[in-house]
Amino acid sequence: MNTCKTYKNPIVEQRADPWVYKHWDGYYYFTASVPEYDRLEIRRTKSIEELGAVKGVTVWKKHAEGPMSALIWAPELHYIKGKWYIYFAAANTDQPVNGTFNHRMFVIENENANPMEGNWTEKGQVKTDWESFSLDATTFTHRDVLYYVWAQRDVDIKGNSNLYIAEMENPWTIKGPQVMLSKPELPWETIGFWVNEGPAILKRNGKIFMTYSGSATDHNYCMGLLTADEESNLLDPKSWVKSQNPVFKSSPQNGQYGPGHNSFTVSEDNKEDVLIYHGRNYTDIKGDPLYDPNRHTRAQIIKWTEEGFPNFGVPVPDAEEVKSER
């Protein structure tokens, strides 16, 4: 058997909601929520394991006031038709409004070949069908169609946020009505808070997999899975099958708690899919878990079943090599 690239966790300390993207230039680009929730930063390295050793470059800072002045959350860096985009959520206050925070989704654009350089232009809020708490946007292209997937609150549905999908007219504008794919309803999605959030897309084996996270951001936080056939109508909720149990959750035996808000990338040799996620190595959190800074970024090789489904396994212990053999 050949032993593939190994990683040791955590990859980056005190970075939640991690996003890692490997570009055609051979670099890994990393962004995530910073503990201060006040800026957007990018790191760039040739290997996943080096991300924690390099200094991040701040490419945008929150406004002094207004809708982009508080709680900058969950940025994602995307390369779409020759330009870079960062999608993120921001609020006009750090206090809850009507039971949830007051976030909306925004996007900035950069035409430079290296997103750590050049000018970032604010393209404004990504408007959805109604105004409410919304966050955790991601995009993906399938059959030349650009899709937008995100979490948003519907006041007529119990809970903080549901998952929605829509086609995009351009990287900052939704085209057509939004469609709900999932809402928090299963026991593991409704502990502490009723939450579906943090969607991420992985296309393999004729299927489109959408992971997401549920429950409160403490040790109950975990990942779920929606699956669609690549030939199906992705805007039809019936095309998506929801797994009834979490696919990645806390592992007390390995000292890992609350894994979630993941992204996907590939290994250095491009032969393995890699799960990027955050988690803590303790459960005794003082105060609101949201403001505990120690959700660290971690990496783990994804294994695949004979039926072509991802097997995420369990979170490995800190400082242990993550191996894949074949």
Side-chain angles (χ1 to χ4, degrees):
M1 291 186 178
N2 295 322
T3 300
C4 297
K5 191 71 178 181
T6 61
Y7 307 109
K8 289 186 177 182
N9 287 329
I11 298 298
V12 186
E13 294 188 350
Q14 295 194 339
R15 289 297 182 271
D17 315 321
W19 174 263
V20 175
Y21 164 67
K22 189 177 186 182
H23 194 41
W24 52 258
D25 62 5
Y27 281 97
Y28 288 95
Y29 291 87
F30 172 86
T31 189
S33 298
V34 301
E36 299 81 8
Y37 300 137
D38 64 350
R39 65 190 186 275
L40 302 176
E41 67 172 30
I42 302 174
R43 302 183 188 200
R44 183 174 85 150
T45 65
K46 283 291 183 74
S47 72
I48 293 173
E49 61 193 351
E50 293 174 356
L51 286 169
V54 298
K55 185 178 177 65
V57 172
T58 297
V59 299
W60 182 89
K61 294 182 179 180
K62 70 176 185 179
H63 293 189
E65 58 184 11
M68 291 187 283
S69 63
L71 297 180
I72 310 304
W73 286 357
E76 289 194 7
L77 178 68
H78 292 258
Y79 188 75
I80 304 170
K81 294 184 177 180
K83 297 180 182 180
W84 294 96
Y85 296 90
I86 296 180
Y87 295 88
F88 63 97
N92 59 359
T93 173
D94 62 1
Q95 298 301 310
V97 177
N98 296 323
T100 59
F101 286 100
N102 207 34
H103 286 73
R104 300 294 187 270
M105 300 174 294
F106 300 89
V107 60
I108 58 177
E109 177 190 73
N110 190 343
E111 297 183 7
N112 200 69
N114 180 357
M116 299 177 70
E117 301 172 351
N119 297 317
W120 284 92
T121 302
E122 293 178 2
K123 305 301 287 186
Q125 180 182 343
V126 180
K127 293 281 190 175
T128 58
D129 288 356
W130 62 87
E131 288 287 331
S132 68
F133 175 65
S134 51
L135 70 167
D136 294 353
T138 193
T139 68
F140 71 100
T141 299
H142 185 61
R143 304 286 165 84
D144 295 323
V145 176
L146 181 63
Y147 293 94
Y148 191 72
V149 182
W150 72 100
Q152 185 168 7
R153 184 184 188 187
D154 181 341
V155 295
D156 293 326
I157 296 176
K158 182 176 181 178
N160 285 41
S161 58
N162 316 307
L163 296 181
Y164 296 89
I165 189 172
E167 186 177 336
M168 300 198 84
E169 181 178 318
N170 55 48
W172 57 91
T173 309
I174 287 176
K175 174 184 177 182
Q178 64 190 66
V179 177
M180 186 178 75
L181 297 183
S182 177
K183 63 182 179 180
E185 56 193 341
L186 301 172
W188 60 268
E189 300 173 304
T190 56
I191 304 174
F193 293 101
W194 292 51
V195 171
N196 279 182
E197 65 181 18
I201 299 294
L202 179 61
K203 297 197 292 182
R204 289 287 182 273
N205 306 324
K207 301 179 179 67
I208 298 179
F209 302 102
M210 182 186 301
T211 54
Y212 65 95
S213 298
S215 289
T217 57
D218 54 15
H219 64 282
N220 294 299
Y221 205 57
C222 57
M223 284 167 44
L225 182 68
L226 300 174
T227 305
D229 188 280
E230 67 177 4
E231 302 289 342
S232 65
N233 176 8
L234 301 183
L235 297 177
D236 183 353
K238 295 179 182 177
S239 297
W240 297 87
V241 177
K242 185 175 186 175
S243 297
Q244 296 299 293
N245 296 305
V247 295
F248 200 59
K249 61 183 180 179
S250 292
S251 174
Q253 64 270 32
N254 288 343
Q256 300 296 305
Y257 303 97
H261 203 119
N262 71 288
S263 61
F264 297 106
T265 190
V266 294
S267 59
E268 285 77 1
D269 62 5
N270 296 318
K271 294 180 179 179
E272 302 280 354
D273 292 298
V274 181
L275 173 68
I276 304 292
Y277 63 98
H278 73 226
R280 294 186 180 90
N281 56 12
Y282 57 88
T283 59
D284 185 16
I285 302 171
K286 297 180 180 179
D288 189 336
L290 179 65
Y291 295 101
D292 178 282
N294 296 316
R295 288 182 292 176
H296 303 323
T297 295
R298 295 176 161 87
Q300 197 154 323
I301 298 292
I302 299 171
K303 297 180 180 179
W304 292 88
T305 68
E306 292 183 357
E307 295 75 26
F309 286 82
N311 178 5
F312 299 109
V314 298
V316 298
D318 282 352
E320 178 172 305
E321 294 183 343
V322 182
K323 299 180 180 179
S324 175
E325 294 182 345
R326 65 177 188 274

